[in-house]
């Protein structure tokens, strides 16, 4: 910080046992999820490229420091490099809370402030983590920024696969375009619902531009075929955006149609023998359903 802190108090508090995290990154992500659930807010992430530390910032929150300890203390104490919690006191000075392992079943809780004056309530919460490694900090910063605060799963680029696997949070989805972070086993429908419009556009682009048919289309076709609610409108809108961006054109005749790519070439699709991406593409272009 910009100035030295003065000790307010250091006490031992009961600490409920929690399973140790599989890695420091897993512990930090669990900590972020816990705090996001406590405040019902997704944090901003403060991170400078090349740094080995990052800070989660919950801007519009007011709380008693015991609320943070009670919810996040066991997780914080379980990290090899315990995070530092910062907030602003009613006297408009910055205060710090740290939680470290104490005797069995207890945690050493230290409170400090700029002036050394005691405090209870704080506004705003910054959670600073030192990772010791710039590449880990960079990956964690991106994951934390997109971490769902309420949903049981999140969607990430495949380049985060190694980090998520090391945290024990990678869902087994071989053949999918994206990597899926899950806190618990979830059905395919939850993974589909986690996809944003941007994710759906990336899936359509992978199909139309690169000829890929990722696993996500299999999930979607299964739900389409069984008639379950899958929010098709967003898939259709995403497809329309990608078709326009790639310069595709659908030429419809009285009894036939042609799909032309951006270079005017015919693209052929087979509903009967095609894979799920082809079936869905044709269903969205010609949405009349006889079922």
């Amino acid at each position: 910080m910009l100035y030295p802190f003065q000790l307010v108090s250091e006490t031992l508090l009961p600490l409920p046992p929690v399973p140790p995290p599989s890695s420091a990154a897993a512990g930090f992500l669990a900590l972020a999820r816990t705090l996001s659930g406590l405040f019902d807010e997704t944090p901003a992430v403060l991170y400078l490229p090349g740094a080995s530390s990052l800070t989660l910032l919950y801007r519009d929150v007011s709380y008693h420091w015991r609320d943070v300890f009670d919810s996040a203390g066991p997780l914080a104490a379980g990290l090899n490099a315990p995070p530092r919690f910062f907030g602003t006191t009613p006297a408009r000075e910055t205060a710090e809370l740290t939680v470290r392992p104490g005797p069995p079943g207890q945690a050493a809780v230290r409170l400090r402030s700029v002036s050394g004056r005691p405090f209870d309530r704080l506004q705003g919460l910054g959670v600073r983590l030192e990772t010791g490694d710039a590449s880990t900090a960079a990956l964690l910063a991106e994951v934390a920024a997109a971490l769902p605060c309420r949903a049981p799963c999140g969607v990430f680029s495949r380049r985060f696969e190694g980090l998520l696997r090391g945290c024990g949070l990678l869902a087994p989805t071989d053949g999918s375009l994206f990597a899926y972070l899950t806190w618990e086993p979830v059905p395919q429908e939850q993974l589909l619902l986690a996809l944003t419009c941007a994710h759906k556009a990336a899936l359509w682009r992978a199909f139309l531009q690169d000829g890929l048919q990722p696993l996500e289309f299999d999930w979607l076709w299964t739900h389409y075929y069984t008639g379950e609610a899958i929010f098709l409108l967003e898939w259709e809108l995403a497809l329309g955006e990608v078709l326009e961006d790639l310069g595709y054109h659908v030429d419809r005749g009285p009894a036939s149609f042609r799909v032309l790519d951006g270079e005017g070439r015919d693209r052929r699709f087979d509903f009967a023998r095609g894979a799920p991406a082809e079936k869905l593409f044709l269903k969205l272009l010609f949405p009349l359903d006889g079922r």
Side-chain angles (χ1 to χ4, degrees), residues 6-11 65 96 109-113 116 118-119:
Q6 306 298 318
L7 182 66
V8 173
S9 65
E10 189 160 14
T11 57
W65 67 264
E96 178 198 65
V109 180
R110 186 177 68 178
L111 302 180
R112 300 196 301 169
S113 65
F119 61 89

Side-chain angles (χ1 to χ4, degrees), residues 48-135:
L48 293 177
S52 60
S53 63
L54 66 149
T55 301
L56 304 180
L57 177 60
Y58 297 88
R59 297 175 57 190
D60 303 317
V61 298
S62 177
Y63 56 95
H64 195 290
W65 67 264
R66 279 297 301 259
D67 296 335
V68 171
F69 171 77
D70 290 341
S71 61
L75 291 167
L79 295 175
N80 290 332
R84 300 164 69 192
F85 301 90
F86 299 100
T88 301
T89 73
R92 296 183 296 280
E93 62 175 309
T94 302
E96 178 198 65
L97 162 69
T98 56
V99 182
R100 288 179 168 80
Q106 294 182 304
V109 180
R110 186 177 68 178
L111 302 180
R112 300 196 301 169
S113 65
V114 176
S115 66
R117 286 180 291 189
F119 61 89
D120 288 321
R121 297 202 65 81
L122 295 165
Q123 288 186 336
L125 175 64
V127 187
R128 183 177 179 86
L129 177 73
E130 298 285 347
T131 69
D133 175 62
S135 60

Side-chain angles (χ1 to χ4, degrees), residues 24-38 40-45 54 56-58 75 127 129 138-157 160 163-164 167-170 179-184 194 196 199:
F28 183 67
L29 293 177
L31 181 70
R33 185 181 188 230
T34 296
L35 291 171
S36 295
L38 174 66
D40 196 25
E41 180 178 317
T42 299
V45 179
L54 66 149
L56 304 180
L57 177 60
Y58 297 88
L75 291 167
V127 187
L129 177 73
L139 289 174
L140 273 177
E142 288 196 59
V143 172
L147 200 64
C149 64
R150 287 176 294 275
C153 56
V155 186
F156 295 90
S157 163
F160 295 102
L163 175 70
L164 298 180
C167 293
L169 300 175
L170 182 69
Y180 293 84
L181 176 155
T182 56
W183 302 103
E184 63 216 28
T196 66
H199 294 135

